Amino acid sequence: MSNNNLSVISLVSIGEHPTSRRPRRAEQDARAIELGIKLVGDNLQTLHAGELSDDDSQQTALRSYLGMGLAEINLLEMPENSDAVLVIAEHLKQKKPDIILTGVRAENGESSGMLPYLLAEQLGMAMVTSIAEILSVDEVNKQAEVLQALPRGQRRKLKVDLPFIASVDMAAALPRQSAFGPARRGQFEEILGTSFTDQESSEWQTADAKKRPKRLKIIKAKTAADRFKAATAKASGGGGKVVHGVEESAQAILDLLVEEGLV
Amino acid sequence: MSSSEFLSQFLFTLISFALLLMLVGAVKRMLLWSQGQSSTIHWLGLLQIPRRYLVDLHHVVARDKYMSNTHVATAGGFVLSSILIVLLYVFQLKLQILTWALLGSSLLMFVGSIFVMIRRRNPPPNLSLGQWQRLPKSLMVFSLSFFILTLPATGILPSDTGGWLLALLLVAGIIWGIGEMFCGMTWGGPMKHAFAGALHLGLHRRQERFGGGQSTGLKAIDLSSKKLGVEKPIDFKWNQLLSFDACVECGRCENNCPAFAAGQPLNPKKLIQDMVIGMAGGDDAKFAGSPYPGIKVGTHKGGAIIPIVNVLVESDTLWSCTTCRACVDACPMMIEHVDAIVDMRRFETMEKGQTPGKGSEILENLSATDNPNGFAPSTRMNWAADQNLTVFGHNEKKQEVTQADVLLWVGDAAFDMRNQRTLRAMIKLLRAAKVNFAVLGDAECDSGDLARRLGDEATFQRLANSNISTMNKYKFNTIVTADPHAFHCIKNEYGEFGGNYNVMHHTGFFAELVSQQKIKLDNSKELALTYHDPCYLGRYNGEYDAPRFLLESMGVKIKEMDRSKSTARCCGGGGGAPVTDIPGKQRIPDMRMADVIETKAEIVAVACPGCSAMLEGVVEPRPEVKDIAELMLDALIEGVVEDTAEVVVEDMVGGAV
Amino acid sequence: MSELFRRDPRAQWIARNRLHPMHQALVIGPVFGPSGLLRKNLHIIGFIGPNGLKRIDRSGASNDSEQGSRRSATASEVILPLHQVVEPAFYIVVVLDLVSGRLNGHDKDTLGLAQQLANRNNGGGAVVAIAFGELKDDSLNKAGVDRLIHINDEQYAHYNPEQRCNDLQGIIGELEPQHILLPDSINGGGDLGRRLAAALQQRPACGVWKLNDDTVICRGSAGKRDITRPLSKLLLVMEECSEPISETRHENILMSQASSPLANGKLFDQGNISVDPNAIPLAEAGFILSGGNGINDWEQFHHTASVLGATEGASRVAVDDGNMPRERQVGATGTWVTAQVYIAVGISGAIQHMQGIGQCDKVVAINTDEGCDMVKRADISAIGDSTEILARLVELVEQRKQAKQTNNEGDDK
């Protein structure tokens, strides 16, 4: 690999499964590691802000990053409920990495997605969001080419000055499987972090997400007749339209495609 | 010195030397096996070798009558001849009766070798050629040489018949014969199977398999060991290495392997031969049997300390296996192919993280949600919202119980709309028979079958331990499940983790109820029906009769497929094969459905959620796929057990366990 | 609404009352006398002929009056009341996404929430929309924009979040808005909002989906939790966080604002790269043409997909039969797709497949069997031979493309 001198740090968090709510490796963080390993191989450093929990499932989740083939994860010890950004920024200021990789947003907590932006601001680095791939890193000109993921599979090519922080999108390459053996044998390197308490968020109330009501189709009827019609008319879109005949079929499909702006 | 005196003197030297050479070879071979990992040595098993050879092994060989008779003649003749030769020529016991006996045994062996020759003239594709084509000739030369040699000694022919010319010919023949039959036994060659096979029968890793017993559960490994699974040949247990040497390359495994038939790159015979190559070092160029479909012979090599996967054996080969155990069942040498494959898969998954296909996703789901498809664990009981099931638990407000006669193991069919139909049918049947049953509800996890067969022993052990600790909280007599995979896991594999239960497959349980008249079935229906044996019910647990009994109780005359009972072909759904999805020329379920169609059956009865999913995946038009529970529900005569209801419950309480 | 028949009781009363001073003006057309005879008021019909004499055309050909008691509803649009903020007490800033220069639903919802904020507690606030780059939409006044800051020059055609963030900082410094709202979207708003938050050192409320007095409810834990927190200055809002404006018009007054050039940008847009539809992962694809067991001509299928620019999908059977690679399999056992339009050709719809397309917006089925499950699910079902229908569809699409091309060429001339 030609990027041997590059210092790449990926930040990992403990994710949470959407249905079982169990700790797991966060999907985007795992993709960030995959991207990092492809970029610099064994030179990838991994940082997690938080202590090694006594809770088995938490530890297993963190270990599943090790199972991707990392030799160790640096643990930046910090008390629960403290502001990870400040702790990490403090630590990274000394490390001066060329590239920091993170997920777009955490799978639990506030999951505001602010962390990479705040780090970029604090460390004075460039910030690229939602990348799918790092195409090349030019260490001489201190520039990298990355692909940014856009909706519906589209990609935008960006040039970005080193050092930079990139948040890795779900569109990036799937993370490699986490193997049990390496996960069990990997090491945690503990570093004492500074503590910054996050007062603000402790006052918030959280609850399980409620299903958002589906927006009703509001009919802005100006007349009684309109309102009457809206209230009594058969709801459209219940059954589909059935078309027979080649010509009619093709035309109907084309009309739909035109309507949806696809042709 | 006459030619006969010379012969007698020479034979003493020759045979003694050959025996010495054989001994050296044996030590060398044993050193090869001893490279493997330590494993319990069953010394007592050595005493049982003759019995195991004559009963257990012969039982398998006898499935092919021609070959079994041939083998009796040849092997019997050979063993007898060898003993007599040693007595006559090494210990010089010149008893007339021994000479006559040798004459008879060598003649027997000669007759046998003729049949071997005939079979080898136009060999079926499952037989290996190469050195195996030489074997009948060697057998003939050996038996004929000793036959002729013995003739003068018995007095049938005058001594010194044939003079020096015949003596020379005999010397040549005996050198060839003894070289092949004695030295070849330990130095490699077709006769290696006799030496390694005999020891293998004695020192088999699954002693329980002999004497009519069964041992089909995978063996647990210590998750804290330095290396998980098998990377190199030396990572196998020594007795596994020994077992590979026992292979006779008869190709019965190949004939029965569904993956091989489907054109997936797996041939169990080649796999075992590759393991031998790995153990002894070398390449596979000399392999003279059918290759792995799609992979050329001669392109791979290995050694005892060289990683196996993708050097000696392609990973696709390992992942093609459906763990249906057809090869193991067909193997006359009782070699455990599935154990070896799973051992290698364990390394691939737990050390390299290279489970192919959707494997990694499935395993991740299993660890995050306890079911392979990642459904929310809290929705496990959603299918039964209208069933009003009794759930095990301590919450009395929800009318949970801590005790029931039967624990109904739901399995992952709970998340599958097709197999929920089977579950509903089962519940109706259980209620019709007034069985007192309860389910574990959301506390149930996947049995771990899939994870274990995908090589993820860690996830399996977690799931097993979790299920065991859940079940140990409650009291019940029997576990009943419609899933043969869960049935097998709980019955045969949870024991190592402290979970010992009385487990029944629903067919077995219902068969009991029917024979006790607790379920009455209408036997007037005439159905054109065939039954597909699930691997994990049939070959893994020997249950062939209960499902057939149930079908017959419904008045069905089963149109049996050619491949049924112990030779039933897998549906392709086992061992994570649908997950890893290794491409072949055709799909295993399509082949199985072709078997069904051949019987002209309109319905194929199944007894496994995996089988129903795989067989229903075959493109229509095709025979209908129905679980036995569903068929039973159709034929159920309700209300007849009203009066005996109380008795049923009491019976159940006192009955099982 | 313009076609409505409206009864005007007063006019009808006047028409009945011949003594009413306005009677003459109103009653035009046939009047029936008490005996049921048709009465004509000759004074008000007819015209003056060329020789100065009054003429009545009894043929009815030149009957000019066609009114009756039917008040002609004007075809003109309903004029919504104008919401004016003359002297804004404070500002609410909304930064619009403007995908291809137009307001999208998310923008409108954001503006709706901004208006809620501007009008709460006695109101008086003005919503300032900030538009970067080209602005093609002329309905800003109807979407709730009181003031508009439009920053446009060549560089805004590209992705330049650093420059935009810089501009916003300037604007916010000047206007000192009470709240700043951005759509929390992948179309730029989410990125820009977070950049701004970092630059302003403001903790934003992200994923806001509801405003309750002085608190907002945000989606946290990647959509699994609801966080109720005090209203913050910077809000990144989700779609449907509020109803869009529909009852009022707004002034949409342009405020001038120069962009302040940024010295040290670190990001350089190299433009979108063209993505082969088939290189798009199925789960992300917006338009999928999926083939199943009913397809005989796979060449044609691939051709159709390339003409339509659709990503190819397949049913399990098509994959098993080796017609399509495994990663193209749609369904519960393959990939769960979220396409805007999903065309299923020759797929009857096994339950696993239907599960996999559950989140698709519009489903089109082309199938020979009208009773199959896919037809039941589809928005449009074409019953017939798939080969012929696809062939005709390709023809139509190609004709359309050609027509467009010639049109464009015509425009160029």
Side-chain angles (χ1 to χ4, degrees):
Chain A
M1 221 163 282
S2 60
N3 301 316
N4 277 335
N5 303 322
L6 217 54
S7 152
V8 181
I9 296 187
S10 75
L11 306 180
V12 296
S13 60
I14 294 175
E16 193 178 83
H17 193 271
T19 59
S20 71
R21 305 279 174 96
R22 285 199 207 149
R24 61 161 181 182
R25 66 171 175 172
E27 289 187 312
Q28 290 166 344
D29 294 357
R31 281 168 170 78
I33 289 195
E34 179 67 37
L35 213 150
I37 292 177
K38 280 198 187 129
L39 196 64
V40 291
D42 291 342
N43 290 341
L44 178 72
Q45 302 167 62
T46 311
L47 183 67
H48 170 71
E51 279 163 341
L52 193 58
S53 166
D54 292 332
D55 181 17
D56 241 11
S57 54
Q58 295 267 338
Q59 219 189 88
T60 311
L62 206 51
R63 283 199 177 276
S64 60
Y65 293 110
L66 290 168
M68 296 174 74
L70 305 171
E72 58 169 34
I73 291 179
N74 291 312
L75 286 186
L76 204 50
E77 288 193 343
M78 62 168 212
E80 222 176 302
N81 287 332
S82 54
D83 193 335
V85 175
L86 299 170
V87 186
I88 297 171
E90 205 62 27
H91 175 74
L92 290 179
K93 267 178 200 161
Q94 300 153 17
K95 284 251 173 179
K96 296 197 171 42
D98 295 311
I99 300 175
I100 301 173
L101 299 170
T102 73
V104 173
R105 59 177 188 171
E107 291 181 358
N108 45 24
E110 189 185 352
S111 92
S112 64
M114 280 301 292
L115 182 126
Y117 291 92
L118 292 169
L119 283 181
E121 190 69 25
Q122 297 229 350
L123 302 171
M125 295 165 89
M127 162 69 202
V128 220
T129 189
S130 305
I131 66 164
E133 214 179 321
I134 294 183
L135 295 173
S136 64
V137 180
D138 181 351
E139 283 176 73
V140 182
N141 295 321
K142 292 271 167 211
Q143 233 179 18
E145 265 190 334
V146 302
L147 277 191
Q148 191 176 40
L150 299 179
R152 292 294 177 209
Q154 300 302 306
R155 300 280 183 270
R156 179 191 282 142
K157 200 194 234 175
L158 290 175
K159 267 194 177 151
V160 54
D161 288 347
L162 289 180
F164 68 91
I165 299 184
S167 64
V168 178
D169 193 87
M170 287 297 281
L174 277 174
R176 64 195 58 195
Q177 188 178 352
S178 171
F180 177 80
R184 198 175 51 82
R185 288 188 279 268
Q187 297 293 316
F188 291 113
E189 200 67 42
E190 294 182 20
I191 314 159
L192 198 63
T194 342
S195 160
F196 301 88
T197 348
D198 179 9
Q199 262 304 285
E200 200 183 332
S201 63
S202 56
E203 285 156 21
W204 299 345
Q205 295 161 14
T206 65
D208 276 356
K210 265 186 273 169
K211 206 168 185 181
R212 290 177 67 189
K214 225 178 179 173
R215 177 179 273 180
L216 297 170
K217 223 180 187 175
I218 293 172
I219 289 125
K220 295 279 176 189
K222 293 284 178 250
T223 67
D226 272 350
R227 280 191 289 274
F228 180 71
K229 214 192 270 170
T232 55
K234 190 172 148 265
S236 59
K241 195 168 80 173
V242 177
V243 201
H244 292 266
V246 173
E247 184 64 43
E248 294 83 352
S249 299
Q251 192 59 49
I253 296 170
L254 180 69
D255 290 346
L256 177 92
L257 296 182
V258 171
E259 193 184 302
E260 295 288 325
L262 291 170
V263 199
Chain B
M1 193 168 66
S2 72
S3 59
S4 58
E5 277 166 15
F6 162 76
L7 268 179
S8 156
Q9 293 249 317
F10 174 76
L11 279 181
F12 172 75
T13 330
L14 181 73
I15 295 169
S16 308
F17 180 69
L19 287 176
L20 197 70
L21 211 59
M22 186 172 126
L23 205 67
V24 173
V27 171
K28 273 196 77 176
R29 210 72 206 170
M30 285 175 186
L31 285 176
L32 278 183
W33 302 332
S34 71
Q35 297 175 99
Q37 306 299 306
S38 64
S39 171
T40 328
I41 305 174
H42 304 278
W43 291 113
L44 281 180
L46 289 175
L47 296 177
Q48 309 242 2
I49 292 176
R51 196 192 133 76
R52 288 177 183 179
Y53 170 68
L54 292 171
V55 180
D56 298 288
L57 182 143
H58 191 73
H59 185 72
V60 183
V61 180
R63 288 181 200 163
D64 181 347
K65 279 279 177 282
Y66 178 94
M67 205 47 225
S68 91
N69 293 336
T70 308
H71 195 257
V72 166
T74 324
F78 168 65
V79 172
L80 211 56
S81 305
S82 304
I83 295 168
L84 293 168
I85 288 166
V86 171
L87 290 179
L88 278 167
Y89 295 99
V90 180
F91 295 107
Q92 309 273 347
L93 287 172
K94 300 281 183 196
L95 292 174
Q96 195 62 9
I97 184 157
L98 292 184
T99 322
W100 278 101
L102 179 57
L103 191 72
S105 68
S106 57
L107 184 66
L108 180 68
M109 185 177 168
F110 181 71
V111 173
S113 66
I114 290 173
F115 283 101
V116 179
M117 182 70 102
I118 295 170
R119 185 173 158 90
R120 288 258 160 202
R121 257 196 175 162
N122 210 351
N126 57 309
L127 287 182
S128 289
L129 306 178
Q131 56 176 9
W132 291 89
Q133 287 299 78
R134 193 181 71 218
L135 184 61
K137 291 170 203 151
S138 306
L139 290 171
M140 258 181 196
V141 168
F142 179 90
S143 53
L144 206 58
S145 301
F146 278 99
F147 182 73
I148 296 170
L149 180 73
T150 320
L151 280 176
T154 53
I156 295 173
L157 285 179
S159 58
D160 291 338
T161 311
W164 284 98
L165 180 68
L166 184 69
L168 276 180
L169 274 176
L170 282 178
V171 165
I174 287 167
I175 290 179
W176 177 357
I178 285 186
E180 178 81 279
M181 302 302 292
F182 286 8
C183 303
M185 222 189 269
T186 60
W187 285 89
M191 284 310 291
K192 188 184 69 182
H193 80 271
F195 166 63
L199 285 180
H200 166 61
L201 287 180
L203 301 169
H204 199 283
R205 201 164 163 230
R206 293 175 182 274
Q207 296 280 314
E208 307 86 338
R209 280 191 68 188
F210 301 100
Q214 262 194 336
S215 168
T216 53
L218 291 173
K219 299 208 179 283
I221 55 171
D222 178 10
L223 292 176
S224 58
S225 54
K226 268 188 199 149
K227 188 191 273 181
L228 303 168
V230 167
E231 180 193 18
K232 303 163 184 170
I234 56 163
D235 297 331
F236 281 113
K237 304 281 183 216
W238 68 265
N239 44 11
Q240 283 179 289
L241 293 180
L242 163 62
S243 75
F244 301 147
D245 257 347
C247 175
V248 281
E249 300 191 39
C250 65
R252 293 186 186 203
C253 48
E254 173 185 321
N255 267 353
N256 285 287
C257 178
F260 179 80
Q264 288 173 300
L266 169 63
N267 176 352
K269 178 172 89 177
K270 172 88 164 59
L271 183 82
I272 297 302
Q273 285 310 306
D274 280 350
M275 295 300 107
V276 174
I277 290 165
M279 169 172 65
D283 62 32
D284 67 343
K286 278 196 205 136
F287 179 72
S290 324
Y292 298 127
I295 299 177
K296 261 196 186 150
V297 167
T299 49
H300 293 73
K301 54 186 167 200
I305 51 164
I306 299 173
I308 298 170
V309 173
N310 294 338
V311 181
L312 181 58
V313 175
E314 291 299 321
S315 66
D316 276 1
T317 298
L318 298 183
W319 297 108
S320 296
C321 177
T322 67
T323 69
C324 72
R325 231 181 135 77
C327 49
V328 183
D329 194 79
C331 181
M333 299 307 293
M334 315 244 163
I335 298 170
E336 297 282 342
H337 310 68
V338 176
D339 281 357
I341 287 174
V342 172
D343 281 338
M344 289 185 274
R345 284 184 177 186
R346 282 173 174 165
F347 185 82
E348 287 293 288
T349 294
M350 285 196 289
E351 293 290 356
K352 282 161 79 183
Q354 303 224 322
T355 323
K358 298 191 86 163
S360 73
E361 190 187 325
I362 297 271
L363 293 176
E364 231 168 288
N365 284 339
L366 277 169
S367 34
T369 62
D370 299 334
N371 67 75
N373 292 314
F375 295 106
S378 57
T379 61
R380 186 173 271 276
M381 283 299 283
N382 284 9
W383 69 276
D386 56 344
Q387 299 288 321
N388 198 19
L389 294 184
T390 314
V391 181
F392 280 111
H394 296 283
N395 189 342
E396 280 171 24
K397 271 183 206 157
K398 288 186 186 167
Q399 303 200 321
E400 289 176 344
V401 297
T402 57
Q403 200 171 342
D405 293 334
V406 167
L407 186 157
L408 177 64
W409 183 271
V410 175
D412 293 320
F415 296 108
D416 179 77
M417 284 158 86
R418 162 66 185 87
N419 289 306
Q420 287 169 9
R421 291 212 303 265
T422 310
L423 290 172
R424 290 206 178 89
M426 266 180 83
I427 285 169
K428 278 193 188 141
L429 290 166
L430 288 171
R431 288 197 167 139
K434 309 267 172 174
V435 174
N436 171 15
F437 70 96
V439 295
L440 287 175
D442 291 345
E444 189 186 305
C445 302
D446 178 270
S447 63
D449 161 78
L450 181 56
R452 190 170 223 195
R453 268 139 267 271
L454 286 175
D456 194 346
E457 182 72 8
T459 301
F460 166 75
Q461 291 193 8
R462 187 186 67 76
L463 292 168
N465 286 322
S466 154
N467 282 327
I468 290 168
S469 73
T470 307
M471 290 195 285
N472 284 352
K473 284 189 238 165
Y474 310 114
K475 278 189 184 155
F476 50 84
N477 294 333
T478 315
I479 301 174
V480 175
T481 177
D483 182 354
H485 295 262
F487 168 59
H488 167 71
C489 259
I490 301 172
K491 187 178 169 204
N492 302 322
E493 297 187 349
Y494 278 18
E496 267 183 294
F497 306 95
N500 293 298
Y501 308 101
N502 179 24
V503 197
M504 292 184 89
H505 187 249
H506 70 311
T507 52
F509 187 72
F510 286 141
E512 248 177 45
L513 293 179
V514 169
S515 60
Q516 291 167 10
Q517 301 277 312
K518 286 165 189 167
I519 291 181
K520 260 252 153 92
L521 297 172
D522 168 19
N523 59 5
S524 62
K525 276 188 192 162
E526 282 190 19
L527 299 172
L529 182 147
T530 185
Y531 171 67
H532 163 76
D533 285 281
C535 311
Y536 277 74
L537 184 62
R539 273 187 296 270
Y540 273 81
N541 289 293
E543 182 66 276
Y544 303 111
D545 299 333
R548 288 183 170 77
F549 167 76
L550 286 174
L551 291 170
E552 278 154 16
S553 314
M554 287 182 255
V556 174
K557 274 208 162 163
I558 303 167
K559 297 168 171 264
E560 290 286 2
M561 290 181 263
D562 281 345
R563 290 176 186 269
S564 67
K565 297 197 175 174
S566 72
T567 56
R569 176 169 275 159
C570 179
C571 67
V579 175
T580 54
D581 196 34
I582 304 300
K585 289 203 177 60
Q586 52 183 330
R587 295 179 66 243
I588 297 172
D590 290 347
M591 297 188 318
R592 189 54 174 165
M593 196 48 97
D595 290 349
V596 173
I597 291 167
E598 217 172 75
T599 66
K600 300 208 171 66
E602 283 156 19
I603 298 175
V604 50
V606 293
C608 169
C611 298
S612 66
M614 293 308 285
L615 293 178
E616 283 202 339
V618 175
V619 180
E620 290 187 307
R622 52 155 169 75
E624 209 180 337
V625 181
K626 278 200 156 183
D627 193 276
I628 288 188
E630 292 176 276
L631 289 167
M632 280 179 73
L633 185 65
D634 291 343
L636 179 70
I637 303 173
E638 274 176 282
V640 286
V641 281
E642 283 301 315
D643 44 350
T644 58
E646 291 306 309
V647 188
V648 174
V649 176
E650 275 165 30
D651 267 5
M652 287 311 302
V653 175
V657 174
Chain C
M1 101 149 253
S2 55
E3 296 306 312
L4 271 188
F5 175 84
R6 288 202 148 265
R7 208 163 68 91
D8 185 344
R10 182 168 173 269
Q12 286 175 333
W13 173 67
I14 295 171
R16 285 195 301 273
N17 186 357
R18 276 195 281 170
L19 299 175
H20 196 281
M22 286 167 74
H23 179 78
Q24 287 300 320
L26 265 171
V27 179
I28 305 152
V31 174
F32 295 95
S35 60
L37 283 177
L38 183 67
R39 298 254 170 221
K40 277 183 181 158
N41 184 353
L42 300 179
H43 295 292
I44 60 163
I45 57 171
F47 54 94
I48 308 297
N51 52 4
L53 286 179
K54 185 162 187 162
R55 295 272 172 206
I56 294 172
D57 178 6
R58 291 182 193 276
S59 74
S62 64
N63 204 347
D64 51 354
S65 54
E66 191 52 71
Q67 289 178 340
S69 60
R70 181 176 277 216
R71 187 206 282 167
S72 89
T74 44
S76 73
E77 255 180 275
V78 180
I79 310 264
L80 295 169
L82 182 66
H83 174 89
Q84 272 181 308
V85 189
V86 186
E87 287 276 315
F90 56 89
Y91 289 106
I92 306 286
V93 164
V94 174
V95 186
L96 301 172
D97 262 353
L98 292 177
V99 179
S100 53
R102 290 176 201 284
L103 290 176
N104 59 15
H106 204 162
D107 282 335
K108 287 180 185 170
D109 296 343
T110 311
L111 285 167
L113 189 71
Q115 282 294 348
Q116 273 188 45
L117 288 166
N119 293 313
R120 65 206 272 275
N121 307 336
N122 303 324
V127 172
V128 185
I130 299 175
F132 290 108
E134 199 185 10
L135 181 59
K136 291 184 198 153
D137 209 311
D138 53 3
S139 65
L140 259 56
N141 58 343
K142 281 182 233 150
V145 177
D146 296 317
R147 304 283 187 274
L148 175 70
I149 295 177
H150 187 195
I151 301 178
N152 191 11
D153 79 51
E154 210 262 320
Q155 61 164 318
Y156 293 96
H158 300 286
Y159 175 71
N160 57 346
E162 293 164 315
Q163 171 69 51
R164 292 178 194 210
C165 181
N166 192 46
D167 293 340
L168 286 176
Q169 277 176 273
I171 293 166
I172 287 156
E174 218 164 279
L175 297 180
E176 289 177 359
Q178 214 170 56
H179 296 287
I180 307 151
L181 279 72
L182 291 99
D184 196 352
S185 70
I186 33 176
N187 294 315
D191 180 31
L192 188 55
R194 288 180 175 83
R195 271 174 210 280
L196 188 63
L200 295 175
Q201 302 192 345
Q202 287 281 341
R203 187 170 194 159
C206 302
V208 175
W209 64 272
K210 200 168 183 191
L211 171 69
N212 279 339
D213 302 325
D214 284 327
T215 57
V216 285
I217 307 181
C218 312
R219 276 280 140 103
S221 301
K224 296 187 298 287
R225 305 277 293 172
D226 275 339
I227 302 173
T228 309
R229 53 190 281 184
L231 187 57
S232 60
K233 180 167 180 182
L234 191 59
L235 300 163
L236 299 181
V237 306
M238 290 173 75
E239 221 167 341
E240 304 193 2
C241 56
S242 149
E243 288 300 329
I245 296 298
S246 59
E247 309 256 310
T248 45
R249 263 182 318 129
H250 295 257
E251 298 166 292
N252 192 21
I253 299 170
L254 197 65
M255 295 168 81
S256 66
Q257 182 73 36
S259 93
S260 40
L262 179 75
N264 52 347
K266 291 170 181 164
L267 282 177
F268 310 95
D269 188 359
Q270 307 286 299
N272 284 16
I273 57 167
S274 62
V275 181
D276 171 17
N278 272 333
I280 301 174
L282 261 184
E284 276 184 72
F287 178 21
I288 298 175
L289 181 71
S290 200
N293 197 34
I295 290 194
N296 307 318
D297 187 352
W298 283 93
E299 279 301 305
Q300 186 209 25
F301 175 80
H302 298 308
H303 176 66
T304 313
S306 76
V307 170
L308 295 178
T311 306
E312 289 179 12
S315 73
R316 190 189 58 76
V317 178
V319 173
D320 287 344
D321 290 350
N323 289 316
M324 292 288 281
R326 180 63 68 190
E327 76 267 12
R328 292 280 139 206
Q329 185 183 327
V330 173
T333 44
T335 309
W336 296 67
V337 297
T338 57
Q340 182 190 348
V341 173
Y342 184 84
I343 306 184
V345 190
I347 301 177
S348 53
I351 180 76
Q352 289 85 355
H353 195 89
M354 304 310 280
Q355 273 174 294
I357 62 168
Q359 291 176 62
C360 289
D361 207 11
K362 287 266 157 47
V363 175
V364 179
I366 302 182
N367 212 307
T368 45
D369 175 13
E370 198 173 336
C372 69
D373 287 338
M374 184 59 81
V375 170
K376 283 175 199 151
R377 158 75 170 88
D379 297 274
I380 292 183
S381 309
I383 310 299
D385 180 58
S386 66
T387 318
E388 287 171 27
I389 295 174
L390 287 185
R392 183 66 194 141
L393 182 63
V394 167
E395 263 174 48
L396 285 176
V397 171
E398 271 169 349
Q399 275 171 20
R400 207 182 131 79
K401 276 185 189 164
Q402 250 163 19
K404 236 185 189 169
Q405 215 154 21
T406 42
N407 267 352
N408 282 351
E409 277 162 18
D411 288 351
D412 289 346
K413 280 165 200 167

